[in-house]
Amino acid sequence: MASNQVLIGNGRLPFDVLIRVFELYLPEETPDHPLESLLLVCKAWEQAAVAHRSLWATFKITMGEEEHTRLWLCRLPLRIERSGLQALFHIDIRHLDEETGKQASEAHDRGQKIPTQADVEANLPRILDLLAGVDGHLCARWGSLRLTIYGCFLEFRATDPHRNVFNSLTYPMPSLTSLHLALHSDTDVWLFPQLPAVESIVLEHSELHDLPDMSHAQNIWIGGELLCMADGPLWFLTAPEVLHLRIEQGFWLDDAYPKLHTLSLYGRYLPPGFEETYIPRLRVLDLHFTGLDILEDLLYHQQVLSLLDVVLLSCEPSLLTDPRERA
């Protein structure tokens, strides 16, 4: 038998095809039918799956029923071991399985237990600690992270490090290229302070003391209903490498964005500091406005308008009706 083939039933399936089957199965795994199920098909499948290190470095975890969480806590150490020493981790941790809907009523109809504040506080730190490793040494292998914990306010617990979700988010992450975060916290500890390789950042529905390190990000999306600095002033958005920036109201622009090409703005007004910001390469301005004030403000910035190749406008339907009808 050729070295790149494995025996499947009465035929032969090339190794690369079999690996593709595993990769297609990975995003469809469930707590009841995990990736480990592939190891039970036959010896050849087990050998091929174990040999594919990056297969075991993808972690899609839903903060749901306690039984499922316990299964993940048991599986994580072995999955990390099977991933070898070099495969980058791709981590996706969500408060609810978005495929079943975020609404509590939908989850209830399916018999799914909604994770409580206590569930998240008890289990999320344990999961992140396993993924971070001793003294955060595994954080060097984090390649992408989605951590979207909607509706829970996580407290800093200095006296109980085993229940402190923030420990694992303070280590350097030199390989992280993508960060998607929705997190409410009361800590003044700087989370994600060193992201030298990050390319894309999405920050939504969050309450944080400081923004993550955005100094190297090229694509940034910031928005959501609760995005503010706890007990402090509005943020200055410092991102000198950004090419595409999408923000909602509540942010002061920095002095300069020398590489910014596309700017998407959401809200009623232009962001504070817009008139002083140096944006020499801006070519596309995408406005999603909830009031006409933003258009009036823009007319006073002819130097910005003169740079643009494209201006995209979208608004609430009510703004397109006759003012007398709105009255």
Side-chain angles (χ1 to χ4, degrees):
M1 183 173 62
S3 60
N4 67 335
Q5 292 185 331
V6 293
L7 190 64
I8 305 298
N10 294 323
R12 299 177 185 275
L13 192 63
F15 179 81
D16 57 345
V17 174
L18 187 57
I19 292 303
R20 182 58 179 157
V21 172
F22 296 162
E23 291 173 344
L24 291 174
Y25 185 89
L26 183 60
E28 305 299 327
E29 74 166 333
T30 67
D32 297 323
H33 300 91
L35 189 62
E36 286 80 1
S37 302
L38 300 175
L39 304 177
L40 305 178
V41 175
C42 66
K43 190 65 175 179
W45 278 50
E46 179 184 6
Q47 292 174 345
V50 171
H52 190 35
R53 298 292 193 182
S54 61
L55 194 67
W56 303 99
T58 298
F59 311 95
K60 184 177 180 181
I61 303 171
T62 300
M63 300 299 298
E65 296 183 4
E66 180 67 24
E67 179 183 353
H68 293 167
T69 303
R70 286 199 304 268
L71 286 173
W72 266 110
L73 289 170
C74 293
R75 290 172 183 157
L76 275 175
L78 186 53
R79 284 205 180 187
I80 292 172
E81 181 181 345
R82 286 175 174 154
S83 70
L85 300 176
Q86 297 181 342
L88 294 181
F89 290 1
H90 298 284
I91 304 167
D92 186 335
I93 303 175
R94 309 190 190 195
H95 188 218
L96 284 177
D97 188 350
E98 294 186 358
E99 295 178 0
T100 63
K102 295 179 183 176
Q103 298 298 322
S105 58
E106 296 180 13
H108 182 269
D109 292 341
R110 290 178 168 84
Q112 180 182 9
K113 176 181 177 293
I114 304 299
T116 65
Q117 175 90 17
D119 293 333
V120 175
E121 287 185 346
N123 295 314
L124 183 57
R126 299 164 65 192
I127 290 173
L128 289 174
D129 284 346
L130 287 171
L131 291 168
V134 178
D135 295 327
H137 75 281
L138 290 178
C139 288
R141 293 175 54 189
W142 289 18
S144 65
L145 172 64
R146 172 170 180 153
L147 180 59
T148 48
I149 308 299
Y150 300 102
C152 289
F153 189 87
L154 303 176
E155 297 182 60
F156 179 75
R157 297 177 181 270
T159 59
D160 190 357
H162 298 294
R163 295 188 65 188
N164 186 356
V165 68
F166 306 112
N167 290 338
S168 303
L169 306 182
T170 60
Y171 297 113
M173 300 174 188
S175 301
L176 194 75
T177 59
S178 175
L179 174 64
H180 185 161
L181 191 65
L183 188 67
H184 295 258
S185 77
D186 68 342
T187 180
D188 59 359
V189 176
W190 188 13
L191 307 182
F192 306 101
Q194 297 181 44
L195 304 177
V198 73
E199 299 173 359
S200 173
I201 293 179
V202 176
L203 186 59
E204 56 164 335
H205 300 285
S206 294
E207 185 172 0
L208 302 170
H209 190 274
D210 291 294
L211 291 172
D213 174 20
M214 296 187 175
S215 57
H216 300 276
Q218 297 180 1
N219 298 281
I220 299 174
W221 184 95
I222 300 181
E225 298 175 358
L226 290 173
L227 186 57
C228 61
M229 186 174 183
D231 300 324
L234 295 174
W235 282 314
F236 281 90
L237 187 57
T238 302
E241 299 294 321
V242 65
L243 302 176
H244 302 91
L245 175 61
R246 172 179 168 177
I247 58 174
E248 296 187 9
Q249 284 184 216
F251 289 86
W252 284 81
L253 295 181
D254 207 353
D255 293 337
Y257 298 98
K259 299 182 179 181
L260 183 61
H261 177 274
T262 302
L263 177 61
S264 299
L265 300 175
Y266 290 71
R268 188 178 182 89
Y269 305 100
L270 291 176
F274 183 80
E275 59 276 9
E276 289 89 15
T277 302
Y278 179 62
I279 317 178
R281 297 188 181 181
L282 185 65
R283 295 297 179 267
V284 179
L285 182 61
D286 184 11
L287 298 180
H288 301 255
F289 51 95
T290 58
L292 299 179
D293 307 78
I294 194 170
L295 295 180
E296 297 175 1
D297 290 346
L298 189 61
L299 294 177
Y300 290 99
H301 302 289
Q302 295 297 322
Q303 74 281 9
V304 175
L305 292 175
S306 65
L307 296 173
L308 300 174
D309 295 328
V310 178
V311 177
L312 302 174
L313 302 175
S314 61
C315 67
E316 292 182 350
S318 61
L319 296 177
L320 300 177
T321 62
D322 189 293
R324 292 168 294 183
E325 295 179 10
R326 295 200 300 270

mmCIF file of all heavy atoms in Angstrom, residues 261-279:
data_model
loop_
_atom_site.group_PDB
_atom_site.id
_atom_site.type_symbol
_atom_site.label_atom_id
_atom_site.label_comp_id
_atom_site.label_asym_id
_atom_site.label_seq_id
_atom_site.Cartn_x
_atom_site.Cartn_y
_atom_site.Cartn_z
ATOM 1 N N HIS A 261 -7.704 53.581 4.246
ATOM 2 C CA HIS A 261 -8.302 53.680 2.916
ATOM 3 C C HIS A 261 -9.817 53.784 2.972
ATOM 4 O O HIS A 261 -10.431 54.551 2.230
ATOM 5 C CB HIS A 261 -7.899 52.460 2.075
ATOM 6 C CG HIS A 261 -8.513 52.423 0.711
ATOM 7 N ND1 HIS A 261 -9.760 51.877 0.462
ATOM 8 C CD2 HIS A 261 -8.051 52.869 -0.481
ATOM 9 C CE1 HIS A 261 -10.049 51.996 -0.825
ATOM 10 N NE2 HIS A 261 -9.026 52.580 -1.422
ATOM 11 N N THR A 262 -10.455 52.996 3.874
ATOM 12 C CA THR A 262 -11.916 52.943 3.951
ATOM 13 C C THR A 262 -12.363 53.209 5.383
ATOM 14 O O THR A 262 -11.911 52.533 6.307
ATOM 15 C CB THR A 262 -12.438 51.571 3.490
ATOM 16 O OG1 THR A 262 -12.001 51.318 2.153
ATOM 17 C CG2 THR A 262 -13.960 51.537 3.541
ATOM 18 N N LEU A 263 -13.244 54.183 5.548
ATOM 19 C CA LEU A 263 -13.766 54.550 6.859
ATOM 20 C C LEU A 263 -15.282 54.431 6.847
ATOM 21 O O LEU A 263 -15.957 55.081 6.046
ATOM 22 C CB LEU A 263 -13.357 55.980 7.216
ATOM 23 C CG LEU A 263 -13.893 56.551 8.538
ATOM 24 C CD1 LEU A 263 -13.420 55.723 9.723
ATOM 25 C CD2 LEU A 263 -13.489 58.017 8.690
ATOM 26 N N SER A 264 -15.817 53.575 7.722
ATOM 27 C CA SER A 264 -17.263 53.407 7.868
ATOM 28 C C SER A 264 -17.680 53.977 9.220
ATOM 29 O O SER A 264 -17.134 53.595 10.253
ATOM 30 C CB SER A 264 -17.651 51.923 7.785
ATOM 31 O OG SER A 264 -17.295 51.373 6.528
ATOM 32 N N LEU A 265 -18.646 54.888 9.201
ATOM 33 C CA LEU A 265 -19.090 55.567 10.421
ATOM 34 C C LEU A 265 -20.571 55.305 10.646
ATOM 35 O O LEU A 265 -21.369 55.376 9.710
ATOM 36 C CB LEU A 265 -18.841 57.072 10.314
ATOM 37 C CG LEU A 265 -17.393 57.518 10.109
ATOM 38 C CD1 LEU A 265 -17.340 59.023 9.901
ATOM 39 C CD2 LEU A 265 -16.534 57.113 11.306
ATOM 40 N N TYR A 266 -20.912 55.015 11.906
ATOM 41 C CA TYR A 266 -22.288 54.734 12.287
ATOM 42 C C TYR A 266 -22.686 55.713 13.390
ATOM 43 O O TYR A 266 -21.955 55.884 14.362
ATOM 44 C CB TYR A 266 -22.426 53.298 12.813
ATOM 45 C CG TYR A 266 -22.272 52.243 11.745
ATOM 46 C CD1 TYR A 266 -21.026 51.997 11.168
ATOM 47 C CD2 TYR A 266 -23.354 51.495 11.307
ATOM 48 C CE1 TYR A 266 -20.876 51.033 10.185
ATOM 49 C CE2 TYR A 266 -23.210 50.534 10.322
ATOM 50 C CZ TYR A 266 -21.968 50.302 9.775
ATOM 51 O OH TYR A 266 -21.822 49.354 8.797
ATOM 52 N N GLY A 267 -23.855 56.354 13.235
ATOM 53 C CA GLY A 267 -24.328 57.242 14.286
ATOM 54 C C GLY A 267 -24.926 58.514 13.736
ATOM 55 O O GLY A 267 -25.239 58.641 12.548
ATOM 56 N N ARG A 268 -25.038 59.491 14.607
ATOM 57 C CA ARG A 268 -25.679 60.761 14.247
ATOM 58 C C ARG A 268 -24.667 61.841 13.905
ATOM 59 O O ARG A 268 -24.964 62.754 13.140
ATOM 60 C CB ARG A 268 -26.560 61.218 15.418
ATOM 61 C CG ARG A 268 -27.423 62.426 15.101
ATOM 62 C CD ARG A 268 -28.314 62.800 16.282
ATOM 63 N NE ARG A 268 -29.165 63.926 15.941
ATOM 64 C CZ ARG A 268 -30.366 63.816 15.387
ATOM 65 N NH1 ARG A 268 -30.854 62.616 15.118
ATOM 66 N NH2 ARG A 268 -31.100 64.891 15.110
ATOM 67 N N TYR A 269 -23.448 61.734 14.471
ATOM 68 C CA TYR A 269 -22.454 62.776 14.286
ATOM 69 C C TYR A 269 -21.133 62.167 13.823
ATOM 70 O O TYR A 269 -20.866 60.983 14.013
ATOM 71 C CB TYR A 269 -22.215 63.544 15.587
ATOM 72 C CG TYR A 269 -23.448 64.127 16.202
ATOM 73 C CD1 TYR A 269 -24.082 63.488 17.269
ATOM 74 C CD2 TYR A 269 -24.004 65.318 15.721
ATOM 75 C CE1 TYR A 269 -25.221 64.014 17.846
ATOM 76 C CE2 TYR A 269 -25.141 65.850 16.295
ATOM 77 C CZ TYR A 269 -25.752 65.200 17.347
ATOM 78 O OH TYR A 269 -26.893 65.721 17.914
ATOM 79 N N LEU A 270 -20.300 63.003 13.235
ATOM 80 C CA LEU A 270 -18.926 62.599 12.956
ATOM 81 C C LEU A 270 -18.199 62.400 14.282
ATOM 82 O O LEU A 270 -18.488 63.082 15.271
ATOM 83 C CB LEU A 270 -18.208 63.666 12.131
ATOM 84 C CG LEU A 270 -18.674 63.857 10.683
ATOM 85 C CD1 LEU A 270 -17.920 65.017 10.041
ATOM 86 C CD2 LEU A 270 -18.483 62.588 9.873
ATOM 87 N N PRO A 271 -17.253 61.476 14.341
ATOM 88 C CA PRO A 271 -16.547 61.237 15.614
ATOM 89 C C PRO A 271 -15.739 62.445 16.045
ATOM 90 O O PRO A 271 -15.206 63.182 15.195
ATOM 91 C CB PRO A 271 -15.644 60.040 15.295
ATOM 92 C CG PRO A 271 -15.494 60.050 13.821
ATOM 93 C CD PRO A 271 -16.775 60.598 13.267
ATOM 94 N N PRO A 272 -15.621 62.681 17.337
ATOM 95 C CA PRO A 272 -14.793 63.790 17.838
ATOM 96 C C PRO A 272 -13.363 63.669 17.330
ATOM 97 O O PRO A 272 -12.799 62.585 17.265
ATOM 98 C CB PRO A 272 -14.867 63.626 19.362
ATOM 99 C CG PRO A 272 -16.107 62.834 19.614
ATOM 100 C CD PRO A 272 -16.256 61.924 18.442
ATOM 101 N N GLY A 273 -12.785 64.798 16.991
ATOM 102 C CA GLY A 273 -11.419 64.810 16.504
ATOM 103 C C GLY A 273 -11.300 64.596 15.013
ATOM 104 O O GLY A 273 -10.189 64.608 14.465
ATOM 105 N N PHE A 274 -12.421 64.406 14.318
ATOM 106 C CA PHE A 274 -12.382 64.105 12.889
ATOM 107 C C PHE A 274 -11.708 65.227 12.099
ATOM 108 O O PHE A 274 -10.931 64.977 11.182
ATOM 109 C CB PHE A 274 -13.810 63.879 12.377
ATOM 110 C CG PHE A 274 -13.887 63.500 10.917
ATOM 111 C CD1 PHE A 274 -13.649 62.193 10.532
ATOM 112 C CD2 PHE A 274 -14.200 64.447 9.956
ATOM 113 C CE1 PHE A 274 -13.715 61.840 9.192
ATOM 114 C CE2 PHE A 274 -14.275 64.099 8.618
ATOM 115 C CZ PHE A 274 -14.037 62.794 8.238
ATOM 116 N N GLU A 275 -12.002 66.478 12.486
ATOM 117 C CA GLU A 275 -11.477 67.601 11.712
ATOM 118 C C GLU A 275 -9.966 67.746 11.856
ATOM 119 O O GLU A 275 -9.306 68.288 10.954
ATOM 120 C CB GLU A 275 -12.165 68.902 12.123
ATOM 121 C CG GLU A 275 -12.003 69.269 13.595
ATOM 122 C CD GLU A 275 -13.017 68.598 14.495
ATOM 123 O OE1 GLU A 275 -13.757 67.711 14.005
ATOM 124 O OE2 GLU A 275 -13.057 68.945 15.683
ATOM 125 N N GLU A 276 -9.384 67.240 12.955
ATOM 126 C CA GLU A 276 -7.938 67.358 13.142
ATOM 127 C C GLU A 276 -7.174 66.114 12.696
ATOM 128 O O GLU A 276 -5.941 66.101 12.704
ATOM 129 C CB GLU A 276 -7.601 67.623 14.624
ATOM 130 C CG GLU A 276 -7.983 69.005 15.120
ATOM 131 C CD GLU A 276 -9.395 69.044 15.669
ATOM 132 O OE1 GLU A 276 -9.947 67.955 15.926
ATOM 133 O OE2 GLU A 276 -9.955 70.153 15.830
ATOM 134 N N THR A 277 -7.869 65.075 12.333
ATOM 135 C CA THR A 277 -7.210 63.809 12.011
ATOM 136 C C THR A 277 -6.600 63.851 10.607
ATOM 137 O O THR A 277 -7.236 64.277 9.649
ATOM 138 C CB THR A 277 -8.206 62.645 12.096
ATOM 139 O OG1 THR A 277 -8.756 62.598 13.414
ATOM 140 C CG2 THR A 277 -7.517 61.318 11.806
ATOM 141 N N TYR A 278 -5.356 63.388 10.519
ATOM 142 C CA TYR A 278 -4.636 63.330 9.246
ATOM 143 C C TYR A 278 -4.898 61.977 8.588
ATOM 144 O O TYR A 278 -4.480 60.935 9.084
ATOM 145 C CB TYR A 278 -3.146 63.532 9.509
ATOM 146 C CG TYR A 278 -2.267 63.475 8.285
ATOM 147 C CD1 TYR A 278 -2.428 64.395 7.252
ATOM 148 C CD2 TYR A 278 -1.267 62.516 8.176
ATOM 149 C CE1 TYR A 278 -1.618 64.358 6.125
ATOM 150 C CE2 TYR A 278 -0.443 62.466 7.057
ATOM 151 C CZ TYR A 278 -0.625 63.393 6.040
ATOM 152 O OH TYR A 278 0.195 63.343 4.927
ATOM 153 N N ILE A 279 -5.637 61.979 7.467
ATOM 154 C CA ILE A 279 -5.996 60.742 6.765
ATOM 155 C C ILE A 279 -5.673 60.941 5.277
ATOM 156 O O ILE A 279 -6.574 61.092 4.441
ATOM 157 C CB ILE A 279 -7.490 60.397 6.949
ATOM 158 C CG1 ILE A 279 -7.936 60.607 8.400
ATOM 159 C CG2 ILE A 279 -7.760 58.959 6.538
ATOM 160 C CD1 ILE A 279 -9.391 60.334 8.644
#
